[in-house]
Amino acid sequence: MTVPPATFPAMSFRDRLAQDRVVLAPGVYDAFTASVATAAGFEALYLSGAAIAYTRLGRPDIGLVSVSEVADTIALVRDRVATPLVVDADTGYGNALNVQRTVRMFERAGATAIQLEDQSFPKRCGHLTDKAVIPAAEMAGKIKAAVDARASADTLIVARTDAVAIEGVPAALDRARLYVEAGADVLFVEAPKSRDQLAAIAADLGGVRPLLANMVEGGQTPISSADDLGALGYRLVIFPGGIVRALARQAQDYYASLARHGTTEPFRDRMFDFNALNALIGTPDMLALGETYKDFTPAKREDAA
């Protein structure tokens, strides 16, 4: 598989989200998953903080990932693909001034959109229980700080509220509207508990800003398709941790098989072989490109008459 070199799309992500059709963004956690997802044809990717915690730390999504670890991951992903990248920035890693530093770091590294949430710190996955949120006015100040810190208006600020679980849907809607006044470009009301709540959120906020819906297998929100959510009024749908759950199941089966049999042979039909994996990551193309730089000789120039 060869992913095209880094050439940014002609249409801005802001303009794409303004269109009357949904964007489906799969979760990724490194350059490898980003390249595979891009090759599958997705228009955007979602760099999941939870997925980074799961794969880089082997730990749950409870605020353990640092700002520098995410920034490093953004840079590695951006070096591999040019696909618009929505980045989970958790709480911004501190107060409004920390948020500004986070936005500058993530934007420089290559984030297309930066998502901030109104949980208190340490935060936890939006589909875990016992969350807490900061005052709405404090979060609005953090959103304003993020907007002020970005270098380009094409870098979108996604405002996420986790208030549904703590204060209820009406309060979450009020928070979202306040975050719009602070400058949020995209709204994300986390963890509605039913299709009726999903529909109510879309009916209330759909004409205000593009809405993001989060699909977590086994989480608080019933799983719906991107098309179904688009029909409700959502414009960006993410499946942030699905790739980790899929690979974790596969890895568990692989290691169990290897331990049982002492060889990979019984598992071979569920694996790429050496050559297939190299084709997937573009090894032949990179080696061919390297050959073009060997023994460079400048072209002879004719002296001007």
Side-chain angles (χ1 to χ4, degrees):
M1 175 201 69
T2 301
V3 175
T7 53
F8 287 88
M11 178 184 295
S12 74
F13 194 49
R14 181 188 298 278
D15 289 341
R16 174 62 185 87
L17 290 178
Q19 294 184 338
D20 190 23
R21 55 192 180 95
V22 71
V23 175
L24 173 59
V28 301
Y29 59 83
D30 62 4
F32 176 71
T33 51
S35 67
V36 174
T38 294
F42 289 100
E43 295 182 80
L45 308 174
Y46 182 84
L47 183 59
S48 163
I52 293 173
Y54 300 154
T55 59
R56 188 163 179 166
L57 306 182
R59 295 293 187 182
D61 180 22
I62 52 173
L64 300 176
V65 176
S66 70
V67 61
S68 59
E69 287 171 324
V70 179
D72 289 346
T73 305
I74 298 168
L76 291 170
V77 169
R78 184 53 74 219
D79 187 56
R80 186 67 177 90
V81 301
T83 315
L85 186 65
V86 182
V87 178
D88 178 3
D90 287 346
T91 63
Y93 309 97
N95 64 19
L97 297 181
N98 297 109
V99 164
Q100 291 199 314
R101 182 167 184 260
T102 296
V103 167
R104 289 192 295 267
M105 288 178 67
F106 286 10
E107 186 177 37
R108 284 196 302 269
T112 309
I114 299 168
Q115 173 195 305
L116 298 161
E117 66 195 50
D118 59 7
Q119 281 196 53
S120 60
F121 192 83
K123 57 88 63 184
R124 58 178 59 203
C125 173
H127 289 256
L128 291 174
T129 58
D130 298 325
K131 298 184 293 182
V133 291
I134 62 176
E138 181 182 349
M139 179 61 180
K142 292 171 76 169
I143 295 297
K144 180 64 167 61
V147 171
D148 289 346
R150 65 185 175 188
S152 170
D154 285 336
T155 302
L156 305 184
I157 303 301
V158 181
R160 167 177 146 178
T161 178
D162 285 68
V164 169
I166 301 102
E167 302 173 348
V169 172
L173 297 176
D174 289 342
R175 281 177 172 259
R177 289 183 177 277
L178 180 61
Y179 303 162
V180 168
E181 292 181 26
D185 302 296
V186 179
L187 296 176
F188 174 7
V189 179
E190 174 67 301
K193 300 182 185 304
S194 66
R195 181 178 173 80
D196 286 345
Q197 287 190 354
L198 282 165
I201 291 164
D204 190 272
L205 298 174
V208 178
R209 288 290 187 275
L211 297 181
L212 183 156
N214 181 20
M215 297 289 102
V216 176
E217 300 82 2
Q220 300 291 324
T221 306
I223 296 291
S224 299
S225 71
D227 286 344
D228 186 29
L229 291 162
L232 287 179
Y234 290 88
R235 288 296 165 261
L236 178 59
V237 175
I238 62 173
F239 283 77
I243 183 60
V244 182
R245 280 180 274 279
L247 292 178
R249 175 68 178 272
Q250 186 82 344
Q252 189 177 61
D253 290 348
Y254 165 80
Y255 287 124
S257 176
L258 180 58
R260 183 180 311 114
H261 301 288
T263 176
T264 58
E265 282 303 317
F267 210 83
R268 284 284 299 276
D269 63 346
R270 299 165 64 184
M271 299 168 60
F272 285 122
D273 67 12
F274 179 79
N275 291 327
L277 181 59
N278 275 295
L280 180 72
I281 62 177
T283 303
D285 291 336
M286 289 202 73
L287 293 176
L289 177 63
E291 289 295 319
T292 67
Y293 294 109
K294 283 188 175 181
D295 301 321
F296 173 73
T297 302
K300 292 183 179 180
R301 292 179 295 177
E302 296 293 335
D303 292 334

